Amino acid sequence: MIDECLVAEFRIEGDDCPLAAATEGLDATIDARPPQLRSDGNVLLQFSAQPSEELSATLDADDRIRYLHVTHADGRSNYRCLSKHPCVVHELVDEGFLVESMRYENGGSTMRGAVVGYDVLRGVMEAAGRTVGVSLQRVYPLRTDDDEPVGRAYELTPRQEESVRVAVEMGYFDLPRPVTSEEVAAELGISKTAFLERLRRAQGSLFGSLFG
């Protein structure tokens, strides 16, 4: 039995994936679930974003996207579709990378997941080295109490999970509070309003899960 499980975060630049291409030049961020690869090479995608007619139109106009379906709930647009374009992430999956979340913005993407042991990490890193534009951003041990990602356990989006995590790391919830919401927002690279909105939505999901 292998005791060490690692969380790894990769950044992909220069990928012509339809979701990455759709965010090029748009003020849009797409949060995606791990893509599902079919035996015919096509990929099933499920993702969400802030409502944007321009983003929807861009995706709909992409010849690589088929059967695009959009629903709206809780201030988000939820998309499902089939993509005829292979995802770079599958090259890492083939080496043992367990994808948990993906985020597309500014024409690139960030993926977060787990690898079981350093030997698997080396194989994943070798695969990343053979793939243009894939770089390791950070890696750290998975805690023994992390049976599943926080976002999945409490239905948080990757951006909400990141905002809560950074806020905790910076002491935003401590008393007395050593940092302001503006400082946390600056660390995240977003506005104060966007940070507080993410935080309220995350708290709503967390408290809803705890108290029904």
Side-chain angles (χ1 to χ4, degrees):
M1 181 179 295
I2 297 177
D3 295 328
E4 192 73 49
C5 188
L6 307 168
V7 176
E9 189 173 287
F10 290 91
R11 178 68 183 173
I12 303 175
E13 299 287 357
D15 180 21
D16 59 350
C17 163
L19 299 189
T23 64
E24 183 74 41
L26 292 182
D27 184 17
T29 299
I30 296 174
D31 295 317
R33 294 186 180 182
Q36 300 179 45
L37 180 65
R38 302 197 326 181
S39 60
D40 62 3
N42 291 325
V43 183
L44 300 175
L45 301 177
Q46 186 173 357
F47 52 96
S48 68
Q50 290 290 336
S52 169
E53 293 184 4
E54 189 174 8
L55 175 61
S56 297
T58 300
L59 291 166
D60 197 33
D62 193 322
D63 292 337
R64 298 169 296 175
I65 295 291
R66 300 180 62 191
Y67 311 120
L68 182 67
H69 182 265
V70 187
T71 58
H72 305 280
D74 299 326
R76 301 279 293 178
S77 293
N78 302 303
Y79 299 82
R80 293 171 177 82
C81 68
L82 181 145
S83 171
K84 295 188 290 184
H85 187 278
C87 292
V88 171
V89 66
H90 288 119
E91 298 185 29
L92 306 187
V93 170
D94 287 344
E95 297 297 329
F97 182 58
L98 304 171
V99 189
E100 294 178 353
S101 66
M102 299 187 69
R103 180 186 307 130
Y104 296 84
E105 56 188 346
N106 301 320
S109 64
T110 302
M111 66 179 77
R112 181 174 179 269
V115 292
V116 182
Y118 283 95
D119 288 340
V120 176
L121 177 62
R122 279 192 290 271
V124 172
M125 288 299 302
E126 290 175 1
R130 297 191 298 269
T131 305
V132 177
V134 178
S135 60
L136 181 66
Q137 298 295 293
R138 59 179 181 146
V139 60
Y140 55 92
L142 184 72
R143 299 195 308 268
T144 56
D145 58 346
D146 284 343
D147 289 331
E148 59 180 334
V150 171
R152 186 179 303 166
Y154 295 102
E155 299 183 355
L156 303 185
T157 68
R159 289 189 298 171
Q160 290 169 1
E161 180 182 349
E162 178 190 33
S163 296
V164 173
R165 175 177 53 78
V166 171
V168 170
E169 291 173 353
M170 294 182 67
Y172 181 75
F173 299 105
D174 295 349
L175 291 176
R177 180 174 290 170
V179 295
T180 65
S181 56
E182 288 90 347
E183 291 172 318
V184 179
E187 178 68 21
L188 290 165
I190 59 177
S191 68
K192 172 186 174 181
T193 300
F195 164 64
L196 292 177
E197 179 182 350
R198 291 185 192 180
L199 191 60
R200 283 194 295 270
R201 290 183 182 276
Q203 289 173 329
S205 296
L206 290 169
F207 295 154
S209 298
L210 291 173
F211 301 110

